[in-house]
Amino acid sequence: MNVLVINAGSSSLKYQLINMDDESVVAKGLCERIGIEGSKLTHKVPGKEDYVVEEAMPSHKEAMALVLKALVDPEHGVVANINDIDAVGHRVLHGGSTYTQSIVVDDDVKKVIRECFDLGPLHNPANLMGIEACEANMPGTPNVAVFDTSFGMGMEPYAYRYAIPEEYYTKYHLRRYGFHGTSHTFVSRETIKFGQLPEGHQRVIVCHLGNGSSISASVAGKAVETSMGLTPLEGLVMGTRSGDVDPAVVQYICDHEGKSVDEVLTILNKKSGVLALSGNLSSDFRDLRDAEIKGDEKAKLALDSFRHHVIKTIGGYIAVMNGVDAITFTAGIGENDGDMREKIMSHFAYLGIKLDPEKNAVRGKNIEISTPDSTVRVFVIPTNEELAIARDTVRLVEEAKA
C-alpha cells in the first residue's frame, strides 16, 4: 500500500509518499510560499536530483495538484497514476475533546477540525485546507486525520484538568491536551520495541527536545503525563516560547506596557524562551552553545534554564510513575546533542543512571546510550512522525474495508 502523508501549514505543504510494504520513503517534498509570490515546489526522490517547480500556488488546492503532478511525472515521478496512491494521512493539530484517536475523515471530522480553529489558529485551518485539497484532487481516495493531541487524550482527569471553574471545562473544553503527540506515540512504542522492555517494566519518559520541546511519561505506551497544555506554550523553556509562567505575568505586562493580551501572548510564543534569556542572541541551541564556550553569560543562562526545566520535569515524572524503566531522547536536540544529554542525565546519577560516552556520541540511529550496569536504560531514538501517521492510516483504511 502506498500512503501519502501530508503536513499542511498556513503557507506550506510537506509530503512523503511511503511504500508501506517495507515502510520506505519513495518520494518527499515541500511546497513553499503558498498564496504568496514566489511559490516553489521541491520534489525529492532517492537517487535522483531534486526536481524544483516554480509556479504560482494561490491555495493548497493548486499546491496539491502540483504535488500529484510531480509524483506521476514520467521523468521525476514514482507512480504511474494517482490511483496508485491508496490513502492519504494528514497531520492535524487539534481534535478538541471529541476525537481521542486517529480517524477516517468524513464531514463530521471536518466539522470538528473547523470548530477547533480557535484552539489551533495557526495549524487547524491549514490542516483542513490540506484535507480538502486532497479531496478535490483525489476524489474517492480515503483520507485519515491523525491528531497531534491524541497521545495526551490518554491522560487521567487529575492530570489533564485545570483547577479552574468547571463551567470553563464543560463549555469550552479548556484542559491540558499536550502536543508533539504523534512523536511521543511513535517514540514511546519504539522504545518498548527496540529495548525489548518486558511487560510490567514499560514506564517510559520521552524527551522530545528541539526548538519546540516537550516531555511525556507513559506506561505501556499510554500517556500518564505530558508537559504541553491547552496550547504548545505550556511546559518547558523552548526556543522562542516562555514555557510555564505565572498567569499574572500577562496582566502585569498588559497593565504596565499598554499591550493587549494577544500582543503579550505573541511575545510569550515568539520572543521569549532561550532567545529572550540569551539577550536575543539566538533561538538556535548551536549558536548558544558556541557563545557559552566563548564565555557569554547570557547564553549560559539560557542553556542552564533549559536544562533545569528538563531535569525538573523528568524528576517529577519519575515520581508520578513511582520509578522509570527507560528514558529516551528524540527530535533535533535530543537526537544530536550528546553534551546536552550527558549534562541532563548527570543529575540523575544518584539513581544509578550511567551513560556510555562513546555510545552517547552516536547520532542519527536507534541506540542505547546507557551502560550495562545503569539502573535505568537510556536511549536515543529518532522520531518519525510521518511513518507513525502512515501506520495509523493503513490500520484505519484496512479496518474500514473489513
Side-chain angles (χ1 to χ4, degrees), residues 69-99:
K69 186 176 179 181
L71 288 170
V72 301
D73 183 88
E75 184 177 352
H76 306 284
V78 290
V79 292
N81 58 66
I82 293 174
N83 293 330
D84 290 334
I85 300 172
D86 301 288
V88 186
H90 298 263
R91 178 185 181 269
V92 180
L93 181 77
H94 226 301
S97 58
T98 304
Y99 291 115

PDB file of all heavy atoms in Angstrom, residues 69-99:
ATOM      1  N   LYS A  69       1.133  15.993  -9.627  1.00  0.00           N
ATOM      2  CA  LYS A  69       1.740  16.032 -10.963  1.00  0.00           C
ATOM      3  C   LYS A  69       3.196  15.584 -10.902  1.00  0.00           C
ATOM      4  O   LYS A  69       3.674  14.855 -11.786  1.00  0.00           O
ATOM      5  CB  LYS A  69       1.649  17.454 -11.527  1.00  0.00           C
ATOM      6  CG  LYS A  69       2.112  17.589 -12.973  1.00  0.00           C
ATOM      7  CD  LYS A  69       1.902  19.023 -13.472  1.00  0.00           C
ATOM      8  CE  LYS A  69       2.390  19.182 -14.906  1.00  0.00           C
ATOM      9  NZ  LYS A  69       2.206  20.586 -15.388  1.00  0.00           N
ATOM     10  N   ALA A  70       3.905  16.011  -9.855  1.00  0.00           N
ATOM     11  CA  ALA A  70       5.312  15.602  -9.692  1.00  0.00           C
ATOM     12  C   ALA A  70       5.415  14.108  -9.412  1.00  0.00           C
ATOM     13  O   ALA A  70       6.324  13.425  -9.912  1.00  0.00           O
ATOM     14  CB  ALA A  70       5.954  16.394  -8.559  1.00  0.00           C
ATOM     15  N   LEU A  71       4.489  13.570  -8.621  1.00  0.00           N
ATOM     16  CA  LEU A  71       4.543  12.151  -8.255  1.00  0.00           C
ATOM     17  C   LEU A  71       4.300  11.232  -9.451  1.00  0.00           C
ATOM     18  O   LEU A  71       4.788  10.092  -9.467  1.00  0.00           O
ATOM     19  CB  LEU A  71       3.522  11.856  -7.150  1.00  0.00           C
ATOM     20  CG  LEU A  71       3.860  12.417  -5.757  1.00  0.00           C
ATOM     21  CD1 LEU A  71       2.668  12.271  -4.819  1.00  0.00           C
ATOM     22  CD2 LEU A  71       5.081  11.719  -5.169  1.00  0.00           C
ATOM     23  N   VAL A  72       3.548  11.708 -10.461  1.00  0.00           N
ATOM     24  CA  VAL A  72       3.255  10.866 -11.633  1.00  0.00           C
ATOM     25  C   VAL A  72       4.048  11.298 -12.863  1.00  0.00           C
ATOM     26  O   VAL A  72       3.875  10.729 -13.948  1.00  0.00           O
ATOM     27  CB  VAL A  72       1.738  10.879 -11.959  1.00  0.00           C
ATOM     28  CG1 VAL A  72       0.929  10.373 -10.777  1.00  0.00           C
ATOM     29  CG2 VAL A  72       1.266  12.271 -12.388  1.00  0.00           C
ATOM     30  N   ASP A  73       4.909  12.292 -12.711  1.00  0.00           N
ATOM     31  CA  ASP A  73       5.709  12.791 -13.836  1.00  0.00           C
ATOM     32  C   ASP A  73       6.543  11.648 -14.434  1.00  0.00           C
ATOM     33  O   ASP A  73       7.181  10.888 -13.698  1.00  0.00           O
ATOM     34  CB  ASP A  73       6.626  13.917 -13.358  1.00  0.00           C
ATOM     35  CG  ASP A  73       7.436  14.523 -14.481  1.00  0.00           C
ATOM     36  OD1 ASP A  73       6.933  15.458 -15.124  1.00  0.00           O
ATOM     37  OD2 ASP A  73       8.566  14.058 -14.707  1.00  0.00           O
ATOM     38  N   PRO A  74       6.566  11.504 -15.776  1.00  0.00           N
ATOM     39  CA  PRO A  74       7.296  10.395 -16.406  1.00  0.00           C
ATOM     40  C   PRO A  74       8.780  10.360 -16.046  1.00  0.00           C
ATOM     41  O   PRO A  74       9.373   9.279 -15.946  1.00  0.00           O
ATOM     42  CB  PRO A  74       7.100  10.656 -17.908  1.00  0.00           C
ATOM     43  CG  PRO A  74       5.837  11.456 -17.984  1.00  0.00           C
ATOM     44  CD  PRO A  74       5.828  12.315 -16.758  1.00  0.00           C
ATOM     45  N   GLU A  75       9.377  11.538 -15.845  1.00  0.00           N
ATOM     46  CA  GLU A  75      10.814  11.586 -15.548  1.00  0.00           C
ATOM     47  C   GLU A  75      11.095  11.628 -14.051  1.00  0.00           C
ATOM     48  O   GLU A  75      12.023  10.969 -13.561  1.00  0.00           O
ATOM     49  CB  GLU A  75      11.439  12.815 -16.229  1.00  0.00           C
ATOM     50  CG  GLU A  75      12.948  12.892 -16.059  1.00  0.00           C
ATOM     51  CD  GLU A  75      13.559  14.081 -16.795  1.00  0.00           C
ATOM     52  OE1 GLU A  75      12.809  14.752 -17.558  1.00  0.00           O
ATOM     53  OE2 GLU A  75      14.759  14.346 -16.606  1.00  0.00           O
ATOM     54  N   HIS A  76      10.337  12.407 -13.324  1.00  0.00           N
ATOM     55  CA  HIS A  76      10.635  12.636 -11.910  1.00  0.00           C
ATOM     56  C   HIS A  76       9.680  11.914 -10.960  1.00  0.00           C
ATOM     57  O   HIS A  76       9.894  11.912  -9.746  1.00  0.00           O
ATOM     58  CB  HIS A  76      10.581  14.133 -11.604  1.00  0.00           C
ATOM     59  CG  HIS A  76      11.443  14.954 -12.494  1.00  0.00           C
ATOM     60  ND1 HIS A  76      12.816  15.015 -12.345  1.00  0.00           N
ATOM     61  CD2 HIS A  76      11.134  15.754 -13.570  1.00  0.00           C
ATOM     62  CE1 HIS A  76      13.316  15.822 -13.270  1.00  0.00           C
ATOM     63  NE2 HIS A  76      12.326  16.279 -14.024  1.00  0.00           N
ATOM     64  N   GLY A  77       8.638  11.297 -11.491  1.00  0.00           N
ATOM     65  CA  GLY A  77       7.634  10.665 -10.655  1.00  0.00           C
ATOM     66  C   GLY A  77       8.020   9.287 -10.163  1.00  0.00           C
ATOM     67  O   GLY A  77       9.052   8.722 -10.546  1.00  0.00           O
ATOM     68  N   VAL A  78       7.148   8.731  -9.307  1.00  0.00           N
ATOM     69  CA  VAL A  78       7.430   7.418  -8.712  1.00  0.00           C
ATOM     70  C   VAL A  78       6.234   6.470  -8.821  1.00  0.00           C
ATOM     71  O   VAL A  78       6.338   5.301  -8.457  1.00  0.00           O
ATOM     72  CB  VAL A  78       7.836   7.567  -7.230  1.00  0.00           C
ATOM     73  CG1 VAL A  78       9.217   8.208  -7.114  1.00  0.00           C
ATOM     74  CG2 VAL A  78       6.801   8.372  -6.444  1.00  0.00           C
ATOM     75  N   VAL A  79       5.094   6.975  -9.295  1.00  0.00           N
ATOM     76  CA  VAL A  79       3.920   6.121  -9.518  1.00  0.00           C
ATOM     77  C   VAL A  79       3.365   6.394 -10.912  1.00  0.00           C
ATOM     78  O   VAL A  79       3.556   7.481 -11.463  1.00  0.00           O
ATOM     79  CB  VAL A  79       2.821   6.346  -8.452  1.00  0.00           C
ATOM     80  CG1 VAL A  79       3.275   5.860  -7.087  1.00  0.00           C
ATOM     81  CG2 VAL A  79       2.381   7.800  -8.396  1.00  0.00           C
ATOM     82  N   ALA A  80       2.685   5.393 -11.476  1.00  0.00           N
ATOM     83  CA  ALA A  80       2.165   5.530 -12.843  1.00  0.00           C
ATOM     84  C   ALA A  80       1.005   6.508 -12.912  1.00  0.00           C
ATOM     85  O   ALA A  80       0.899   7.293 -13.856  1.00  0.00           O
ATOM     86  CB  ALA A  80       1.749   4.163 -13.367  1.00  0.00           C
ATOM     87  N   ASN A  81       0.127   6.444 -11.910  1.00  0.00           N
ATOM     88  CA  ASN A  81      -1.005   7.368 -11.888  1.00  0.00           C
ATOM     89  C   ASN A  81      -1.471   7.572 -10.452  1.00  0.00           C
ATOM     90  O   ASN A  81      -1.040   6.866  -9.539  1.00  0.00           O
ATOM     91  CB  ASN A  81      -2.147   6.884 -12.782  1.00  0.00           C
ATOM     92  CG  ASN A  81      -2.644   5.512 -12.386  1.00  0.00           C
ATOM     93  OD1 ASN A  81      -3.196   5.332 -11.307  1.00  0.00           O
ATOM     94  ND2 ASN A  81      -2.440   4.522 -13.269  1.00  0.00           N
ATOM     95  N   ILE A  82      -2.376   8.503 -10.285  1.00  0.00           N
ATOM     96  CA  ILE A  82      -2.842   8.880  -8.948  1.00  0.00           C
ATOM     97  C   ILE A  82      -3.511   7.713  -8.237  1.00  0.00           C
ATOM     98  O   ILE A  82      -3.447   7.595  -7.002  1.00  0.00           O
ATOM     99  CB  ILE A  82      -3.807  10.087  -9.045  1.00  0.00           C
ATOM    100  CG1 ILE A  82      -3.035  11.328  -9.507  1.00  0.00           C
ATOM    101  CG2 ILE A  82      -4.480  10.364  -7.704  1.00  0.00           C
ATOM    102  CD1 ILE A  82      -3.924  12.531  -9.775  1.00  0.00           C
ATOM    103  N   ASN A  83      -4.124   6.810  -8.997  1.00  0.00           N
ATOM    104  CA  ASN A  83      -4.809   5.672  -8.387  1.00  0.00           C
ATOM    105  C   ASN A  83      -3.855   4.716  -7.683  1.00  0.00           C
ATOM    106  O   ASN A  83      -4.287   3.849  -6.914  1.00  0.00           O
ATOM    107  CB  ASN A  83      -5.615   4.910  -9.442  1.00  0.00           C
ATOM    108  CG  ASN A  83      -6.776   5.727  -9.969  1.00  0.00           C
ATOM    109  OD1 ASN A  83      -7.323   6.560  -9.258  1.00  0.00           O
ATOM    110  ND2 ASN A  83      -7.150   5.495 -11.228  1.00  0.00           N
ATOM    111  N   ASP A  84      -2.545   4.869  -7.949  1.00  0.00           N
ATOM    112  CA  ASP A  84      -1.553   4.040  -7.257  1.00  0.00           C
ATOM    113  C   ASP A  84      -1.318   4.528  -5.822  1.00  0.00           C
ATOM    114  O   ASP A  84      -0.606   3.869  -5.056  1.00  0.00           O
ATOM    115  CB  ASP A  84      -0.221   4.042  -8.017  1.00  0.00           C
ATOM    116  CG  ASP A  84      -0.307   3.270  -9.326  1.00  0.00           C
ATOM    117  OD1 ASP A  84      -1.160   2.367  -9.413  1.00  0.00           O
ATOM    118  OD2 ASP A  84       0.460   3.583 -10.252  1.00  0.00           O
ATOM    119  N   ILE A  85      -1.882   5.677  -5.476  1.00  0.00           N
ATOM    120  CA  ILE A  85      -1.823   6.167  -4.093  1.00  0.00           C
ATOM    121  C   ILE A  85      -3.095   5.688  -3.400  1.00  0.00           C
ATOM    122  O   ILE A  85      -4.200   6.085  -3.755  1.00  0.00           O
ATOM    123  CB  ILE A  85      -1.712   7.699  -4.047  1.00  0.00           C
ATOM    124  CG1 ILE A  85      -0.430   8.155  -4.773  1.00  0.00           C
ATOM    125  CG2 ILE A  85      -1.718   8.200  -2.606  1.00  0.00           C
ATOM    126  CD1 ILE A  85      -0.328   9.657  -4.945  1.00  0.00           C
ATOM    127  N   ASP A  86      -2.939   4.811  -2.420  1.00  0.00           N
ATOM    128  CA  ASP A  86      -4.087   4.116  -1.834  1.00  0.00           C
ATOM    129  C   ASP A  86      -4.801   4.916  -0.749  1.00  0.00           C
ATOM    130  O   ASP A  86      -5.989   4.708  -0.514  1.00  0.00           O
ATOM    131  CB  ASP A  86      -3.627   2.778  -1.243  1.00  0.00           C
ATOM    132  CG  ASP A  86      -3.000   1.884  -2.297  1.00  0.00           C
ATOM    133  OD1 ASP A  86      -3.753   1.362  -3.138  1.00  0.00           O
ATOM    134  OD2 ASP A  86      -1.764   1.727  -2.286  1.00  0.00           O
ATOM    135  N   ALA A  87      -4.080   5.797  -0.068  1.00  0.00           N
ATOM    136  CA  ALA A  87      -4.699   6.562   1.023  1.00  0.00           C
ATOM    137  C   ALA A  87      -3.814   7.754   1.352  1.00  0.00           C
ATOM    138  O   ALA A  87      -2.625   7.794   0.995  1.00  0.00           O
ATOM    139  CB  ALA A  87      -4.888   5.687   2.261  1.00  0.00           C
ATOM    140  N   VAL A  88      -4.405   8.732   2.040  1.00  0.00           N
ATOM    141  CA  VAL A  88      -3.668   9.928   2.457  1.00  0.00           C
ATOM    142  C   VAL A  88      -3.829  10.104   3.971  1.00  0.00           C
ATOM    143  O   VAL A  88      -4.954  10.065   4.490  1.00  0.00           O
ATOM    144  CB  VAL A  88      -4.192  11.193   1.751  1.00  0.00           C
ATOM    145  CG1 VAL A  88      -3.312  12.394   2.098  1.00  0.00           C
ATOM    146  CG2 VAL A  88      -4.234  10.992   0.242  1.00  0.00           C
ATOM    147  N   GLY A  89      -2.716  10.265   4.651  1.00  0.00           N
ATOM    148  CA  GLY A  89      -2.735  10.523   6.088  1.00  0.00           C
ATOM    149  C   GLY A  89      -2.351  11.964   6.349  1.00  0.00           C
ATOM    150  O   GLY A  89      -1.361  12.458   5.791  1.00  0.00           O
ATOM    151  N   HIS A  90      -3.116  12.646   7.183  1.00  0.00           N
ATOM    152  CA  HIS A  90      -2.898  14.067   7.447  1.00  0.00           C
ATOM    153  C   HIS A  90      -2.535  14.308   8.913  1.00  0.00           C
ATOM    154  O   HIS A  90      -3.215  13.799   9.816  1.00  0.00           O
ATOM    155  CB  HIS A  90      -4.168  14.876   7.150  1.00  0.00           C
ATOM    156  CG  HIS A  90      -4.597  14.814   5.721  1.00  0.00           C
ATOM    157  ND1 HIS A  90      -4.270  15.800   4.809  1.00  0.00           N
ATOM    158  CD2 HIS A  90      -5.325  13.893   5.043  1.00  0.00           C
ATOM    159  CE1 HIS A  90      -4.789  15.485   3.629  1.00  0.00           C
ATOM    160  NE2 HIS A  90      -5.437  14.332   3.750  1.00  0.00           N
ATOM    161  N   ARG A  91      -1.491  15.072   9.135  1.00  0.00           N
ATOM    162  CA  ARG A  91      -1.219  15.562  10.486  1.00  0.00           C
ATOM    163  C   ARG A  91      -2.205  16.695  10.767  1.00  0.00           C
ATOM    164  O   ARG A  91      -2.263  17.669  10.038  1.00  0.00           O
ATOM    165  CB  ARG A  91       0.208  16.093  10.615  1.00  0.00           C
ATOM    166  CG  ARG A  91       0.500  16.659  12.005  1.00  0.00           C
ATOM    167  CD  ARG A  91       1.891  17.293  12.065  1.00  0.00           C
ATOM    168  NE  ARG A  91       2.170  17.811  13.402  1.00  0.00           N
ATOM    169  CZ  ARG A  91       1.902  19.044  13.807  1.00  0.00           C
ATOM    170  NH1 ARG A  91       1.333  19.907  12.965  1.00  0.00           N
ATOM    171  NH2 ARG A  91       2.178  19.435  15.034  1.00  0.00           N
ATOM    172  N   VAL A  92      -2.981  16.538  11.833  1.00  0.00           N
ATOM    173  CA  VAL A  92      -3.925  17.571  12.251  1.00  0.00           C
ATOM    174  C   VAL A  92      -3.598  17.932  13.691  1.00  0.00           C
ATOM    175  O   VAL A  92      -3.479  17.046  14.542  1.00  0.00           O
ATOM    176  CB  VAL A  92      -5.389  17.090  12.137  1.00  0.00           C
ATOM    177  CG1 VAL A  92      -6.345  18.187  12.580  1.00  0.00           C
ATOM    178  CG2 VAL A  92      -5.701  16.668  10.702  1.00  0.00           C
ATOM    179  N   LEU A  93      -3.445  19.209  13.945  1.00  0.00           N
ATOM    180  CA  LEU A  93      -3.011  19.623  15.281  1.00  0.00           C
ATOM    181  C   LEU A  93      -4.024  19.245  16.351  1.00  0.00           C
ATOM    182  O   LEU A  93      -3.700  18.566  17.319  1.00  0.00           O
ATOM    183  CB  LEU A  93      -2.782  21.137  15.321  1.00  0.00           C
ATOM    184  CG  LEU A  93      -2.300  21.650  16.684  1.00  0.00           C
ATOM    185  CD1 LEU A  93      -0.843  21.350  16.892  1.00  0.00           C
ATOM    186  CD2 LEU A  93      -2.573  23.141  16.833  1.00  0.00           C
ATOM    187  N   HIS A  94      -5.273  19.685  16.187  1.00  0.00           N
ATOM    188  CA  HIS A  94      -6.214  19.634  17.306  1.00  0.00           C
ATOM    189  C   HIS A  94      -7.527  18.965  16.924  1.00  0.00           C
ATOM    190  O   HIS A  94      -8.151  19.331  15.937  1.00  0.00           O
ATOM    191  CB  HIS A  94      -6.512  21.064  17.786  1.00  0.00           C
ATOM    192  CG  HIS A  94      -6.452  21.225  19.268  1.00  0.00           C
ATOM    193  ND1 HIS A  94      -7.261  20.507  20.129  1.00  0.00           N
ATOM    194  CD2 HIS A  94      -5.692  22.029  20.057  1.00  0.00           C
ATOM    195  CE1 HIS A  94      -6.985  20.868  21.377  1.00  0.00           C
ATOM    196  NE2 HIS A  94      -6.041  21.774  21.361  1.00  0.00           N
ATOM    197  N   GLY A  95      -7.932  17.992  17.738  1.00  0.00           N
ATOM    198  CA  GLY A  95      -9.235  17.374  17.576  1.00  0.00           C
ATOM    199  C   GLY A  95     -10.147  17.684  18.741  1.00  0.00           C
ATOM    200  O   GLY A  95     -11.218  17.071  18.880  1.00  0.00           O
ATOM    201  N   GLY A  96      -9.720  18.656  19.595  1.00  0.00           N
ATOM    202  CA  GLY A  96     -10.506  19.010  20.762  1.00  0.00           C
ATOM    203  C   GLY A  96     -10.705  17.804  21.658  1.00  0.00           C
ATOM    204  O   GLY A  96      -9.872  16.887  21.705  1.00  0.00           O
ATOM    205  N   SER A  97     -11.815  17.781  22.376  1.00  0.00           N
ATOM    206  CA  SER A  97     -12.117  16.643  23.245  1.00  0.00           C
ATOM    207  C   SER A  97     -13.007  15.626  22.534  1.00  0.00           C
ATOM    208  O   SER A  97     -13.387  14.607  23.114  1.00  0.00           O
ATOM    209  CB  SER A  97     -12.805  17.128  24.523  1.00  0.00           C
ATOM    210  OG  SER A  97     -13.995  17.829  24.216  1.00  0.00           O
ATOM    211  N   THR A  98     -13.333  15.889  21.267  1.00  0.00           N
ATOM    212  CA  THR A  98     -14.224  14.993  20.518  1.00  0.00           C
ATOM    213  C   THR A  98     -13.492  13.749  20.033  1.00  0.00           C
ATOM    214  O   THR A  98     -13.976  12.625  20.185  1.00  0.00           O
ATOM    215  CB  THR A  98     -14.836  15.723  19.309  1.00  0.00           C
ATOM    216  OG1 THR A  98     -15.508  16.898  19.761  1.00  0.00           O
ATOM    217  CG2 THR A  98     -15.823  14.829  18.574  1.00  0.00           C
ATOM    218  N   TYR A  99     -12.317  13.936  19.427  1.00  0.00           N
ATOM    219  CA  TYR A  99     -11.593  12.813  18.855  1.00  0.00           C
ATOM    220  C   TYR A  99     -10.337  12.520  19.668  1.00  0.00           C
ATOM    221  O   TYR A  99      -9.447  13.359  19.778  1.00  0.00           O
ATOM    222  CB  TYR A  99     -11.233  13.092  17.396  1.00  0.00           C
ATOM    223  CG  TYR A  99     -12.446  13.113  16.496  1.00  0.00           C
ATOM    224  CD1 TYR A  99     -12.842  14.273  15.842  1.00  0.00           C
ATOM    225  CD2 TYR A  99     -13.226  11.968  16.333  1.00  0.00           C
ATOM    226  CE1 TYR A  99     -13.968  14.292  15.027  1.00  0.00           C
ATOM    227  CE2 TYR A  99     -14.353  11.977  15.528  1.00  0.00           C
ATOM    228  CZ  TYR A  99     -14.718  13.138  14.882  1.00  0.00           C
ATOM    229  OH  TYR A  99     -15.832  13.153  14.089  1.00  0.00           O
TER     230      TYR A  99
END
